[in-house]
Amino acid sequence: MNRKAIIGVHCDACYERHDTGPGHPESADRYRVLREALESLPPEIVRLPGRTATVAEVLQAHEAYYHDVVYRDVAACADVLRTGDTALCGESYEVALEASGAVLAAVDAVMRGEVARAFCAVRPPGHHATANRGMGFCIFNHIAIAANYLRRKHGLQRIAIVDWDVHHGNGTQDIFAADPGVFFVSLHERGAYPFSGSEEERGEGEGSGTTLNLPLPHGSGGEVALAAWDERAGPALEAFRPEFVLVSAGFDARKDDPLGGLKWEDGTFAEFTRRVVALAEKHAAGRVVSSLEGGYNPPGLASAALAHVAALG
Ligand SMILES: [Zn+2]
């Protein structure tokens, strides 16, 4: 392909309405710095609108009981979600629906061919949320909802989820552990929150072999992670032949992140992005949608995310 691919980006000040309280690392301020950086991107980058996810869409990855817990906790003005360490405010339920909906809107834009690939800057993040439990700053698991939406609405059968957040994507792994149609790859810091994601966790039942965890040593740099990808994840994903690649794009593996213990450079995120794009070009008609997860040093988050977006093209 000689022509440069059309890339979409979604960001919106609506996500700043999710107020996690003073001193919280997953803050509206963190998001604002990223949003302003994305708003300065050149006009060739297509601005994608969001939308509100329906409850039925949320239930593609979550139990109705858990959806109702979120709704009721927010309605009751709880400060923290009862299932885990996720701060809430009166807007959190609505904002979480916006975040899931934006990822689905980006998936639709890619499936319609309006853009080749897209990055969705949304919050709260999603990858720690299981079918019945929010935790780790997450409420609804946007990437998991999108994977099931791609299969149910768009009729795809094989979805790859690449999670390079510094923390293990336990929620996504849990939702798809027994599901052979979703290949989940997580690169994360060994021994960090949420203390899951060992190499022995390879999936269950029919999904045995479609979970791949690559825990990385504390303090290691991008070259260690890229080597792990090239040795393990790349060949496994090639064999899986995904029809769409979703990315849980956390940027907290970057050096100087207050919650992460890895030392990736902005260029590491660009390298991972290029590998994902090459995989998608080969098997998935180039289709990639990434969704923001962590990243808690605001200027570092912004520069790493810009490197990611540049490498999507
Ligand atoms: Zn994280």
Side-chain angles (χ1 to χ4, degrees):
M1 240 188 282
N2 294 323
R3 286 189 55 222
K4 219 168 154 44
I6 300 171
I7 302 307
V9 163
H10 168 78
C11 62
D12 196 304
C14 76
Y15 304 111
E16 292 155 33
R17 290 163 37 210
H18 172 56
D19 180 359
T20 48
H24 197 291
E26 204 292 281
S27 65
D29 284 342
R30 153 203 188 246
Y31 184 82
R32 189 174 303 113
V33 172
L34 171 62
R35 175 174 59 79
E36 288 171 1
L38 293 172
E39 285 171 351
S40 71
L41 282 167
E44 310 84 90
I45 304 285
V46 175
R47 271 55 180 181
L48 293 175
R51 69 170 174 86
T52 309
T54 65
V55 173
E57 287 165 345
V58 168
L59 299 188
Q60 294 196 11
H62 294 286
E63 294 175 10
Y65 156 81
Y66 171 65
H67 165 272
D68 295 349
V69 162
V70 175
Y71 182 86
R72 280 196 243 113
D73 280 358
V74 170
C77 303
D79 292 332
V80 179
L81 186 61
R82 81 181 79 164
T83 62
D85 51 346
T86 299
L88 298 177
C89 73
E91 309 269 355
S92 297
Y93 172 74
E94 297 291 336
V95 176
L97 289 181
E98 291 294 323
S100 291
V103 178
L104 300 183
V107 159
D108 285 335
V110 169
M111 291 303 294
R112 285 195 300 262
E114 293 169 15
V115 295
R117 293 176 277 284
F119 170 57
C120 299
V122 299
R123 68 182 282 270
H127 72 150
H128 294 306
T130 72
N132 59 17
R133 183 180 180 209
M135 57 183 274
F137 315 159
C138 300
I139 297 177
F140 297 136
N141 192 323
H142 322 302
I143 283 291
I145 294 168
N148 282 337
Y149 179 84
L150 274 163
R151 294 189 291 173
R152 293 173 194 173
K153 168 128 190 270
H154 292 287
L156 302 188
Q157 295 185 322
R158 295 183 309 282
I159 312 297
I161 299 177
V162 173
D163 186 329
W164 66 54
D165 188 279
V166 80
H167 304 105
H168 178 235
N170 63 293
T172 312
Q173 174 175 302
D174 193 66
I175 289 167
F176 298 113
D179 187 334
V182 174
F183 199 113
F184 175 69
V185 174
S186 180
L187 297 113
H188 49 269
E189 181 185 349
R190 187 191 305 276
Y193 180 91
F195 315 107
S196 53
S198 80
E199 288 177 75
E200 286 71 45
E201 297 166 29
R202 296 297 312 270
E204 301 161 6
E206 287 188 10
S208 191
T210 54
T211 295
L212 178 61
N213 285 302
L214 299 173
L216 303 163
H218 176 84
S220 61
E223 69 288 351
V224 174
L226 289 163
W229 174 280
D230 291 341
E231 283 164 29
R232 306 284 309 281
L237 290 167
E238 286 286 343
F240 182 70
R241 296 181 295 114
E243 296 166 286
F244 203 106
V245 185
L246 296 167
V247 180
S248 269
F251 297 97
D252 41 9
R254 190 182 182 278
K255 62 183 180 180
D256 302 330
D257 190 282
L259 299 194
L262 300 184
K263 294 181 176 171
W264 296 9
E265 305 282 343
D266 293 342
T268 311
F269 296 98
E271 283 295 324
F272 272 115
T273 305
R274 286 188 203 105
R275 281 159 169 77
V276 164
V277 168
L279 173 77
E281 293 280 12
K282 190 165 173 189
H283 298 289
R287 299 181 291 226
V288 178
V289 167
S290 58
S291 180
L292 176 66
E293 302 284 0
Y296 303 103
N297 170 12
L301 164 63
S303 66
L306 290 179
H308 167 56
V309 171
L312 281 174

